[in-house]
Amino acid sequence: MSIISWVTGWPGPSGFGSASTAEQVTEGIDATNLTTIITGGASGIGLETARVLALRKAHVIIAARNMEAANEAKQRILKEVKDGRVDVMKLDLASIKSVHEFADTFIARNLPLNILINNAGIMFCPYQLSEDGIEMQFATNHIGHFLLTNLLLDKMKDTARSSGIEGRIVNLSSIAHIHTYRHGIRFDKLNDKRSYSDKRAYGQSKLANVLHAKELTRRFQEEGVNITANAVHPGLIMTNLMRYSALLMKILKFFSFVLWKNVPQGAATTCYVALHPSLKGVSGKYFVDCNEMKPSTYARDESLASKLWDFSNKLITSASKA
């Protein structure tokens, strides 16, 4: 996708572009037989993703930390989608304990799982550690989703095998993945407060989202599993995600208004990658404006993806013991 397409909204090879909405890219798709989990589905583009998938008849499970907001989101969706199937479940991605509890509760419900949308996240927050002692942006944006995905993988594999329907994992990354620390991931200085940069820490976590999808793809292909994993950049959208930098974002938006999207446009790429039949078998890719785009050099590094996988597992094991 060129900068001209980005600004004008002209469609790319997929037939869609930056001006396309989530409803437009899923028009005519019947998701009746699909069950999906959407993290952070109580607000912003997560809520719009949940609404559109419910509109397309999928069984939607909103996983959220704030249950009051999640239940309000459910009612908003059901008010519009009268026969919608929407449930809410509590999930705090910054807590390893909460992620385990969520996965255990979901598996105990004996539901299928076709689509996992790792949407939730935090952005540009001041330095802080999670309850498990992990830098908060990395803990929430990557580690929580990494663990959640691993805990639900057997369920997804079983569902794909028994239903014959391809499973799909969608990681919400960001174009910010190009603005990270030197060497991409600071494996040895993850929690270093003195050299912490809220912007680079965010970019690091978003790079991790792309690398996670890449390594998942390698493992799925090695196993012959009927599941795909891709990463997406939703675009520039003013949502609660920007609460730590609202003034900066408003100033930026004033000078670059043509590049910004509304929420229905922001949810389009997620919904496209999650549902569109043209992407059957497509995995390990990075999408912008509903079209495949080459990510950064770090994001294409297979050895870095493998190293991140091992590091994440060790970090979770170490934090759980502590």
Side-chain angles (χ1 to χ4, degrees), residues 92-100 128-136 138-140 143-144 147 190-191 314-322:
D92 181 355
L93 287 161
S95 165
I96 289 174
K97 179 182 177 182
S98 177
V99 175
H100 274 283
Q128 56 186 301
L129 300 179
S130 70
E131 67 178 49
D132 303 299
I134 304 169
E135 188 275 308
M136 187 62 80
F138 196 80
T140 304
I143 290 295
L147 177 59
L190 185 67
N191 289 346
K314 291 176 182 177
L315 186 60
I316 291 167
T317 299
S318 175
S320 298
K321 289 179 179 179

Side-chain angles (χ1 to χ4, degrees), residues 233-250:
H233 166 56
L236 295 173
I237 310 109
M238 190 66 73
T239 69
N240 289 336
L241 181 65
M242 296 176 178
R243 61 186 176 277
Y244 292 109
S245 55
L247 179 59
L248 173 63
M249 291 299 109
K250 287 178 180 177

Side-chain angles (χ1 to χ4, degrees), residues 114 158-166:
N114 305 94
D158 289 344
T159 301
R161 185 165 44 247
S162 62
S163 68
I165 300 172
E166 177 183 82

Side-chain angles (χ1 to χ4, degrees), residues 23-42:
E23 284 196 28
Q24 289 171 342
V25 303
T26 59
E27 186 175 359
I29 296 176
D30 182 3
T32 301
N33 296 323
L34 303 179
T35 299
T36 180
I37 292 174
I38 304 172
T39 67

Side-chain angles (χ1 to χ4, degrees), residues 124-157:
F124 300 166
C125 68
Y127 179 85
Q128 56 186 301
L129 300 179
S130 70
E131 67 178 49
D132 303 299
I134 304 169
E135 188 275 308
M136 187 62 80
Q137 293 194 80
F138 196 80
T140 304
N141 298 348
H142 170 62
I143 290 295
H145 284 127
F146 175 85
L147 177 59
L148 177 67
T149 302
N150 279 359
L151 293 174
L152 296 175
L153 272 183
D154 283 344
K155 171 58 70 173
M156 291 197 73
K157 291 175 183 178

Side-chain angles (χ1 to χ4, degrees), residues 11-242:
S14 70
F16 304 111
S18 61
S20 301
T21 67
E23 284 196 28
Q24 289 171 342
V25 303
T26 59
E27 186 175 359
I29 296 176
D30 182 3
T32 301
N33 296 323
L34 303 179
T35 299
T36 180
I37 292 174
I38 304 172
T39 67
S43 63
I45 61 176
L47 172 55
E48 176 67 1
T49 300
R51 183 189 72 83
V52 171
L53 265 62
L55 185 66
R56 303 305 177 215
K57 309 303 181 184
H59 180 189
V60 174
I61 291 137
I62 294 174
R65 182 173 54 84
N66 186 331
M67 290 302 287
E68 181 179 355
N71 279 298
E72 289 177 359
K74 174 182 176 178
Q75 294 309 314
R76 284 180 59 183
I77 294 172
L78 294 180
K79 186 175 181 180
E80 176 185 346
V81 187
K82 304 300 183 183
D83 57 347
R85 294 176 293 158
V86 182
D87 290 311
V88 299
M89 292 178 62
K90 185 173 180 60
L91 171 64
D92 181 355
L93 287 161
S95 165
I96 289 174
K97 179 182 177 182
S98 177
V99 175
H100 274 283
E101 289 175 346
F102 175 92
D104 288 344
T105 301
F106 176 80
I107 291 170
R109 294 180 65 176
N110 200 31
L111 290 170
L113 180 58
N114 305 94
I115 302 169
L116 174 60
I117 300 177
N118 292 320
N119 164 82
I122 57 174
M123 179 180 182
F124 300 166
C125 68
Y127 179 85
Q128 56 186 301
L129 300 179
S130 70
E131 67 178 49
D132 303 299
I134 304 169
E135 188 275 308
M136 187 62 80
Q137 293 194 80
F138 196 80
T140 304
N141 298 348
H142 170 62
I143 290 295
H145 284 127
F146 175 85
L147 177 59
L148 177 67
T149 302
N150 279 359
L151 293 174
L152 296 175
L153 272 183
D154 283 344
K155 171 58 70 173
M156 291 197 73
K157 291 175 183 178
D158 289 344
T159 301
R161 185 165 44 247
S162 62
S163 68
I165 300 172
E166 177 183 82
R168 295 189 181 184
I169 297 170
V170 183
N171 285 353
L172 262 77
S173 179
S174 168
I175 197 169
H177 80 274
I178 66 176
H179 184 66
T180 184
Y181 294 108
R182 186 181 180 188
H183 305 310
I185 307 291
R186 298 205 307 178
F187 295 108
D188 298 325
K189 299 177 68 176
L190 185 67
N191 289 346
D192 187 63
K193 183 177 182 179
R194 189 172 59 86
S195 58
Y196 176 77
S197 162
D198 58 351
K199 309 299 187 298
R200 292 190 184 277
Y202 178 71
Q204 173 180 245
S205 70
K206 296 290 99 179
L207 170 62
N209 294 151
V210 184
L211 292 171
H212 179 212
K214 187 174 188 64
E215 179 63 11
L216 276 170
T217 294
R218 187 189 69 79
R219 290 168 179 263
F220 290 157
Q221 292 174 347
E222 193 173 79
E223 295 178 44
V225 176
N226 189 25
I227 303 175
T228 63
N230 291 291
V232 306
H233 166 56
L236 295 173
I237 310 109
M238 190 66 73
T239 69
N240 289 336
L241 181 65
M242 296 176 178

